[in-house]
Amino acid sequence: MKDIIQLLPDSVANQIAAGEVVQRPASVVKELMENSIDAGATKIQIILKNAGKSRVQVIDDGKGMSPRDARMAFERHATSKIATANDLFHIRTMGFRGEALASISSVAEVELKTKRADDELGTYLFITDSELRRQDSVQCSNGTNLLVKNLFYTVPARRKFLKSDGTELRNIVNEFLRVALTSPRVAFTLVNNGVELYNLPASGLRQRVVNAFGKVMDSRLVSIHCETGIVTIEGFTCVPQHAKKSYGEQFFFVNNRFMKHSFFHRAVQEAYSGLIAPEMLPSYFLYLTVDPSTIDVNIHPTKTEIKFQDETAIFQILLASVREALGKFNIAPAIDFDTEGKVDFPEPTENDEAPKAPRVEYNPAYNPFHYRSSLSPSDSNFEHPYPRPDREKAPAHWEKLFQGLEESRREVQTEMPGMEEKLEEYDAGGTFAQLGGRYIVAPGRSSVMFIDQKRAHERVLFERYHESLEQRREQGQKSLFPERISFAGEDYLLVKELREDLAFLGFELAEGEEMEFILHATPSGMSYARGRAVLVDLIEHYKNTEHSIKEEMKKHLALSMAKAASLSYNTPLNRGEMSELFATLSACKSPGYTVEGRTIAHVLHIDEINRWF
Ligand code: ADP
Ligand code: MG
């Protein structure tokens, strides 16, 4: 038998490596930006066409390459940044694997112009399929100009997996910001299809954050500075009032490299405990510096998780320093290590009144048994305070609610066979009560219905919004005093993409200057201020659940909007409101469950209650 193992040609090996390094246009942008930073550039321009699918061009004023280096740069494992294995532990550059250019040139067409300051002429290269097709001397400016065209044209399967331009562009913006935040002293511009999305001048770190995320950030940032033997932590977190509901503004860097670290994220979150609701996320931009030999750099090229030797200690330091920074900002009590464990009593002053003994108030006339006996249905004189319509007599639009409940009940019954029940009628006339700021309780003759107010409202709103998106029916109300809303990069692009659909939800947005929109109309039945807040919430929520398919998108948009606009728990409801919610819920197509499948209403039958006694 013949031997069957052979070495793969370079072009194939590179394509396989490219699968790891180059997943989407955003990966190309990231690799090229990092190369420009490593080359000492002070100004980096990124020019995209069709969110990088057609073109990614990165122009820098860095040190450039010699003709030989330019050719070498496209070989696999060709790097100027490390020479020995030991160098791996002292990496100070963003790249070091020598894989990026080789990978990119195996899955795209690459044109390079590069010149060192001392050279008279620069070098031009044209590479496709990992093969050098042309090399010339050219007149060009100092630095490197790299153009990547038709990404994945050699791998149609990969090209097919690229998402919509909007999604790819948002991925690019994410990578762009991660890199831009590591190098505030470098100026960056990002342009797509001729539209400038970012223009970040060289600045200090704080100004970089403000330029990248909007002027509003300036008043929200709290500085952090903490030096210990294990780690130095610098950067900013934000005041608790501006915590958000979704991820997007949480940045950790270690030795100036972006990383994700869920354990350290918990430390920051913990520092905010008691200051923000558990589901809220503070924005933070935190830079950790550690001895490079105490972290594991030998990780997957695109993975952003990094292993630390002193993880638990860093957790504690992070927690304490964020907490202290918030305390200095007069928001949270600072941790004071000297007095920890001691209770601090204020000294009484001359003017203080004598302390009062606590008193319990009670009503001596109250008799719980009296109340109970007078309402006993077994009493022949018993009369309900309100008339109780039965199902037949109930208004027609309640029927759906009854059916929905019957359905959910049937499901329960298949789980617990034996339970033979007949659905009871409920009284929308007035016996509704609110329980625990969350449930609407509707007692019937032989059962009680509990309705989750938020979920019910969410269902009602969802069906309403979904319908107006389906029917393309606008339902906004114009404001006399339209205001500007500015969005951070990623959100801005998202709003731009969704603008037409938002109009059918009632949000009329005109484009303003610099990442701003002018909000001309908000959904009817909502105050302008509330509408504005709902829009911001809606974008936050949608960001995490977006779907590319149009149909799905409508559903998600309607759901995001319903979630943002639905009434919250602990909102007191009067009888009229409860009765209206009940009626509108019963008119819904699926009143029994929320879109995400959570129970909206539950019926407790008297048989069950009888079992308690
Ligand atoms: P790595 O960055 O890991 O070294 P790359 O494939 O990204 O690997 O780049 C290979 C080499 O090409 C780099 O080590 C560097 O010497 C050179 N190079 C790449 N981009 C630039 C640039 N913009 N300016 C100057 N040199 C560059
Ligand atoms: Mg590189």
Side-chain angles (χ1 to χ4, degrees):
M1 266 239 258
K2 272 207 305 182
D3 295 329
I4 52 171
I5 296 180
Q6 50 183 319
L7 275 177
L8 287 175
D10 267 0
S11 59
V12 178
N14 285 341
Q15 262 193 32
I16 293 171
E20 304 204 317
V21 185
V22 188
Q23 285 154 344
R24 47 179 12 101
S27 343
V28 176
V29 172
K30 169 184 177 274
E31 293 294 338
L32 298 187
M33 283 175 84
E34 291 188 344
N35 280 350
S36 297
I37 291 172
D38 287 344
T42 63
K43 193 173 157 233
I44 300 174
Q45 289 168 267
I46 298 133
I47 303 162
L48 310 170
K49 207 169 149 206
N50 302 336
K53 287 177 188 170
S54 309
R55 282 166 91 102
V56 175
Q57 183 170 26
V58 175
I59 306 171
D60 69 47
D61 61 352
K63 66 182 178 203
M65 288 176 258
S66 69
R68 182 187 173 273
D69 282 354
R71 269 197 324 273
M72 278 293 287
F74 291 90
E75 297 290 331
R76 204 136 63 93
H77 306 305
T79 178
S80 55
K81 298 166 193 174
I82 54 170
T84 68
N86 202 40
D87 293 346
L88 272 175
F89 299 99
H90 311 282
I91 287 162
R92 293 283 173 202
T93 52
M94 319 253 337
F96 58 87
R97 291 186 186 79
E99 281 179 320
L101 294 185
S103 302
I104 292 169
S105 67
S106 75
V107 291
E109 299 171 11
V110 176
E111 276 181 80
L112 167 76
K113 276 190 230 163
T114 186
K115 182 171 111 56
R116 297 178 298 183
D118 292 342
D119 296 341
E120 202 139 293
L121 281 178
T123 307
Y124 169 86
L125 298 186
F126 178 58
I127 298 169
T128 58
D129 288 325
S130 303
E131 293 275 341
L132 179 64
R133 309 282 172 188
R134 238 180 90 190
Q135 171 161 9
D136 280 319
S137 296
V138 282
Q139 207 98 53
C140 60
S141 30
N142 296 338
T144 299
N145 179 335
L146 212 139
L147 173 62
V148 177
K149 281 196 295 192
N150 301 326
L151 185 63
F152 297 138
Y153 80 105
T154 49
V155 226
R158 297 282 302 281
R159 205 173 162 84
K160 233 172 46 201
F161 275 103
L162 292 179
K163 302 257 171 63
S164 70
D165 281 14
T167 305
E168 294 300 344
L169 191 57
R170 273 186 292 129
N171 283 319
I172 290 176
V173 166
N174 276 336
E175 293 290 355
F176 171 84
L177 290 173
R178 289 172 184 180
V179 179
L181 284 169
T182 64
S183 307
R185 299 284 168 205
V186 178
F188 293 94
T189 52
L190 178 66
V191 172
N192 181 53
N193 293 343
V195 180
E196 186 177 84
L197 300 173
Y198 286 90
N199 184 345
L200 308 175
S203 70
L205 181 59
R206 188 182 183 105
Q207 201 52 44
R208 171 58 47 98
V209 173
V210 171
N211 288 334
F213 294 91
K215 290 182 201 98
V216 282
M217 263 295 174
D218 204 19
S219 56
R220 298 182 183 172
L221 296 177
V222 181
S223 308
I224 294 202
H225 181 88
C226 165
E227 266 180 76
T228 67
I230 299 172
V231 62
T232 299
I233 301 169
E234 277 167 305
F236 307 96
T237 67
C238 85
V239 294
Q241 294 88 312
H242 291 290
K244 295 188 172 180
K245 273 189 200 151
S246 74
Y247 288 92
E249 290 175 3
Q250 289 72 34
F251 293 87
F252 275 127
F253 300 90
V254 59
N255 297 352
N256 220 25
R257 184 187 295 275
F258 173 81
M259 67 162 178
K260 281 189 186 142
H261 209 290
S262 50
F263 186 56
F264 291 167
H265 171 75
R266 278 212 334 255
V268 178
Q269 199 71 24
E270 181 112 2
Y272 279 82
S273 75
L275 301 172
I276 59 177
E279 73 275 12
M280 300 298 270
L281 294 154
S283 308
Y284 56 79
F285 310 87
L286 294 171
Y287 296 72
L288 279 58
T289 309
V290 297
D291 178 346
S293 63
T294 64
I295 51 173
D296 183 4
V297 289
N298 192 15
I299 39 150
H300 191 276
T302 54
K303 269 213 182 113
T304 42
E305 283 87 7
I306 289 187
K307 279 213 160 311
F308 286 73
Q309 234 168 58
D310 307 299
E311 214 157 66
T312 358
I314 295 176
F315 181 100
Q316 294 301 336
I317 297 166
L318 201 52
L319 168 60
S321 59
V322 173
R323 192 93 186 149
E324 191 192 63
L326 293 176
K328 273 202 195 121
F329 206 77
N330 259 338
I331 302 159
I335 294 174
D336 184 344
F337 292 101
D338 296 336
T339 56
E340 206 179 16
K342 290 186 208 156
V343 184
D344 198 16
F345 288 106
E347 298 283 326
T349 65
E350 295 271 309
N351 302 335
D352 276 355
E353 290 174 28
K356 288 191 188 105
R359 273 171 42 196
V360 177
E361 310 251 340
Y362 66 99
N363 172 9
Y366 176 67
N367 177 354
F369 300 102
H370 174 70
Y371 176 77
R372 232 176 125 207
S373 58
S374 76
L375 265 185
S376 164
S378 55
D379 186 338
S380 55
N381 295 326
F382 171 77
E383 224 186 289
H384 254 293
Y386 299 100
R388 336 217 111 218
D390 47 36
R391 188 170 176 175
E392 282 73 42
K393 289 186 203 144
H397 63 269
W398 288 21
E399 187 52 29
K400 283 218 180 90
L401 181 64
F402 286 120
Q403 280 169 11
L405 283 167
E406 226 167 30
E407 234 161 64
S408 50
R409 167 181 295 256
R410 233 175 276 130
E411 278 165 36
V412 172
Q413 278 176 357
T414 43
E415 275 168 33
M416 294 184 278
M419 272 170 70
E420 247 280 325
E421 287 166 329
K422 190 173 142 278
L423 190 72
E424 265 313 308
E425 60 282 348
Y426 298 91
D427 175 11
T431 47
F432 289 122
Q434 204 183 10
L435 180 70
R438 170 163 184 174
Y439 303 104
I440 297 171
V441 186
R445 199 180 299 143
S446 59
S447 62
V448 184
M449 192 196 295
F450 296 87
I451 299 166
D452 183 302
Q453 66 182 49
K454 183 172 171 53
R455 292 179 188 179
H457 196 217
E458 190 185 301
R459 166 51 79 182
V460 168
L461 293 179
F462 169 77
E463 293 200 0
R464 186 184 301 164
Y465 296 137
H466 193 245
E467 176 143 330
S468 39
L469 281 174
E470 288 285 340
Q471 315 265 318
R472 315 300 279 164
R473 209 185 322 112
E474 294 194 44
Q475 46 162 286
Q477 83 202 343
K478 293 247 184 221
S479 161
L480 291 177
F481 309 102
E483 278 181 52
R484 294 169 187 286
I485 309 189
S486 68
F487 288 95
E490 193 196 351
D491 297 3
Y492 170 79
L493 296 171
L494 186 58
V495 174
K496 227 170 127 145
E497 201 182 316
L498 294 178
R499 202 161 62 149
E500 199 193 326
D501 287 294
L502 287 169
F504 294 107
L505 287 172
F507 294 104
E508 190 187 317
L509 290 153
E511 251 180 278
E513 297 153 34
E514 283 188 24
M515 306 255 183
E516 270 180 353
F517 286 99
I518 299 148
L519 182 58
H520 284 289
T522 51
S524 42
M526 213 184 264
S527 73
Y528 183 79
R530 170 103 179 103
R532 199 188 146 101
V534 165
L535 176 64
V536 173
D537 258 21
L538 160 71
I539 297 302
E540 288 285 300
H541 179 261
Y542 182 79
K543 228 169 31 181
N544 291 340
T545 52
E546 61 140 321
H547 274 233
S548 43
I549 309 159
K550 260 259 146 19
E551 248 336 282
E552 277 289 283
M553 192 192 84
K554 276 184 206 151
K555 194 175 137 194
H556 278 263
L557 200 55
L559 178 61
S560 299
M561 169 85 171
K563 278 194 178 298
S566 58
L567 41 88
S568 50
Y569 294 127
N570 293 321
T571 306
L573 298 176
N574 63 32
R575 258 187 210 163
E577 288 162 335
M578 287 192 273
S579 146
E580 191 186 321
L581 183 55
F582 186 86
T584 45
L585 177 67
S586 46
C588 281
K589 289 195 196 110
S590 340
Y593 292 98
T594 66
V595 180
E596 291 151 315
R598 295 203 192 90
T599 306
I600 294 175
H602 188 83
V603 174
L604 183 62
H605 198 263
I606 195 157
D607 292 346
E608 175 69 23
I609 299 173
N610 287 340
R611 253 178 260 147
W612 301 345
F613 298 90

